[in-house]
């Protein structure tokens, strides 16, 4: 959202953008990001920018969530700021019917935007506790009730929770147990209560009543649209979260399946290695048996040759002896 008094120089836009980014950074990373941006500005010769960045203070988790809501949902935030201006104007002009109607809208819109801020924070990795969500709601109620609070939130750079004034009207048209009309009457400028010189004509009253009715209907419609848009956005975020959760479960299932496959493959590999070792042992045994068999075979060949030679010699000796006898 555009800030009051913003300059159009390139350097100023740069530092404003950096500060916007910084205050949209989650508190756990705020300080390190601040130092990084300040160092970058100093290195670039922008000493004043570096000083402004270094002066930034880390927001609470609830304040950061409120800043995040403003940055991430600019259209809903603008409508919310418009609702606050209308509600404060109705309070100043003592329009009791309009106060009651707008206050009812306030309750539903604050609730919807608080839930949306909590969802944005959760999606950014930081779940808001019940106390932190109550602080966000307190800040949003303060934005509706107090112009200074609205201006602070519109910068997108809150550092802490904002507190609504205790005398602002509730949905029933009263606040802090007192009559808001009497409070507003006391605080209203005299210029707004110019003395009446006479009773207004009936036609004029009817015209004013009709204009007020149309204005109330327009505001009610816009507030309902803002609440519906916030609920739709919340539904989309929840749907996206459900899809992400489903994808995560599928990834876990695929991971478990892959791990089982790896385990099975490792088991099979170990079994194959054991079979290889067994086969290698058996090969060594058969090679040893083969060598021994070859050794025995050579010994048998030698013994056979010697036996044949001995038999031949014996035959020759026998033949020689036979001839001598003849």
């Amino acid at each position: 959202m555009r800030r009051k008094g913003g300059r159009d120089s390139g350097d100023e836009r740069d530092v404003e953008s950096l500060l916007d980014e910084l205050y949209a950074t989650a508190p756990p990373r705020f300080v390190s990001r601040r130092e990084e941006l300040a160092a970058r500005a100093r290195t670039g010769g922008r000493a004043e920018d570096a000083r402004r960045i270094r002066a930034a203070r880390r927001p609470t988790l609830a304040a950061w969530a409120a800043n995040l809501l403003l940055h991430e949902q600019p259209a809903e935030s603008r409508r919310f700021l418009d609702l606050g201006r209308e509600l404060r104007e109705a309070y100043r002009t003592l329009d009791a019917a309009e106060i009651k109607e707008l206050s009812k809208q306030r309750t539903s819109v604050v609730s919807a935007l608080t839930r949306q801020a909590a969802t944005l924070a959760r999606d950014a990795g930081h779940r808001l506790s019940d106390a932190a969500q109550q602080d966000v709601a307190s800040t949003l109620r303060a934005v509706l009730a107090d112009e200074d609070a609205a201006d602070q939130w519109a910068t997108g750079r809150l550092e802490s929770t904002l507190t609504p004034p205790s005398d602002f009207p509730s949905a029933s048209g009263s606040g802090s147990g007192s009559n808001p009309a009497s409070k507003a009457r006391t605080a209203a400028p005299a210029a707004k209560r110019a003395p009446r010189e006479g009773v207004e004509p009936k036609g004029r009253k009817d015209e004013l009543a009709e204009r007020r009715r149309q204005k109330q209907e327009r505001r009610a419609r816009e507030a309902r649209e803002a609440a519906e848009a916030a609920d739709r956005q919340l539904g989309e975020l929840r749907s996206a979260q459900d899809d992400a959760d489903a994808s995560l479960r599928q990834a876990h299932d695929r991971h478990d399946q892959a791990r089982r496959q790896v385990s099975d493959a490792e088991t099979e590999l170990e079994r194959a290695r054991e079979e290889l070792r067994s086969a290698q042992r058996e090969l060594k045994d058969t090679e040893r048996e083969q060598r021994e068999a070859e050794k025995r075979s050579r010994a048998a060949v030698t013994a056979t040759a010697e036996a044949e030679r001995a038999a031949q010699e014996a035959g020759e000796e026998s033949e020689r002896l036979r001839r001598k006898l003849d």
Side-chain angles (χ1 to χ4, degrees), residues 198-212:
V199 178
E200 291 181 326
K202 185 177 185 300
R204 175 62 175 169
K205 288 183 178 180
D206 292 343
E207 180 183 353
L208 290 175
E210 177 62 19
R211 289 173 59 186
R212 180 180 294 125

Side-chain angles (χ1 to χ4, degrees), residues 25-292:
T25 301
R29 294 189 59 249
F30 184 92
V31 173
S32 61
R33 185 58 176 161
R34 180 186 64 191
E35 298 306 316
E36 178 184 346
L37 295 177
R40 188 180 301 172
R42 284 195 301 272
T43 302
R46 304 194 311 275
E48 178 59 21
D49 290 354
R51 185 196 64 78
R52 289 189 60 192
I53 293 171
R54 282 287 294 118
R57 292 293 173 262
R58 182 175 64 178
T60 64
L61 191 61
W64 164 73
N67 293 335
L68 191 63
L69 176 66
L70 183 89
H71 289 299
E72 296 294 329
Q73 303 297 332
E76 287 84 349
S77 298
R78 280 193 296 271
R79 286 195 289 267
F80 188 69
L81 289 168
D82 290 341
L83 175 61
R85 280 190 291 270
E86 294 171 358
L87 186 54
R88 293 191 298 273
E89 179 63 24
Y91 188 43
R92 283 192 295 267
T93 57
L94 309 179
D95 192 332
E98 193 167 9
I99 288 172
K100 185 175 182 180
E101 178 62 29
L102 291 174
S103 296
K104 290 179 180 178
Q105 297 172 25
R106 175 187 67 175
T107 301
S108 62
V109 173
V110 165
S111 178
L113 290 182
T114 298
R115 292 194 302 270
Q116 193 166 346
T119 300
L120 290 171
R122 184 191 64 193
D123 291 345
H126 299 277
R127 188 176 297 276
L128 297 186
S129 65
D130 291 342
Q133 291 187 49
Q134 290 174 6
D135 287 343
V136 173
S138 173
T139 294
L140 294 176
R141 286 194 297 271
V143 168
L144 290 179
D146 183 75
E147 186 175 0
D148 289 339
D151 290 342
Q152 290 181 57
W153 183 58
T155 66
R157 301 174 189 173
L158 291 181
E159 297 174 0
S160 58
T161 301
L162 301 178
T163 304
S166 59
D167 62 345
F168 201 70
S170 66
S172 62
S174 62
S176 297
S178 59
N179 188 331
S182 64
K183 286 182 177 287
R185 191 176 296 116
T186 301
K192 289 185 181 258
R193 302 196 308 271
R196 297 169 59 187
E197 296 181 356
V199 178
E200 291 181 326
K202 185 177 185 300
R204 175 62 175 169
K205 288 183 178 180
D206 292 343
E207 180 183 353
L208 290 175
E210 177 62 19
R211 289 173 59 186
R212 180 180 294 125
R213 185 188 64 78
Q214 293 177 356
K215 184 178 180 182
Q216 291 174 349
E217 288 180 351
R218 184 181 69 255
R219 290 172 175 170
R221 182 174 61 255
E222 291 174 351
R224 283 194 301 270
E225 290 173 354
E228 291 170 357
D231 285 337
R232 283 195 302 273
Q233 181 68 20
L234 181 60
E236 292 172 0
L237 291 171
R238 285 176 174 169
S239 178
Q241 180 66 40
D242 290 342
D243 291 342
D245 290 343
S247 297
L248 180 60
R249 287 192 297 271
Q250 292 175 0
H252 283 161
D253 291 342
R254 289 195 297 270
H255 178 266
D256 292 341
Q257 182 179 2
R259 187 163 55 186
R260 287 192 298 271
Q261 290 174 346
V262 169
S263 178
D264 293 343
E266 289 175 345
T267 301
E268 187 65 26
L269 177 60
E270 183 59 30
R271 184 183 301 111
R273 285 173 176 169
E274 180 60 32
E275 290 177 356
L276 175 61
R277 287 192 292 268
S278 178
Q280 288 173 337
R281 288 192 298 269
E282 185 175 353
L283 177 60
K284 289 180 180 179
D285 292 342
T286 57
E287 287 175 346
R288 185 175 62 254
E289 291 175 356
Q290 182 178 353
R291 287 194 299 270
E292 293 175 352

Side-chain angles (χ1 to χ4, degrees), residues 312-326:
Q312 183 178 1
E313 290 176 354
E316 291 174 352
E317 180 65 20
S318 176
E319 181 63 25
R320 189 170 54 253
L321 291 174
R322 185 181 63 77
R323 283 198 299 267
K324 284 180 179 183
L325 291 174
D326 292 341

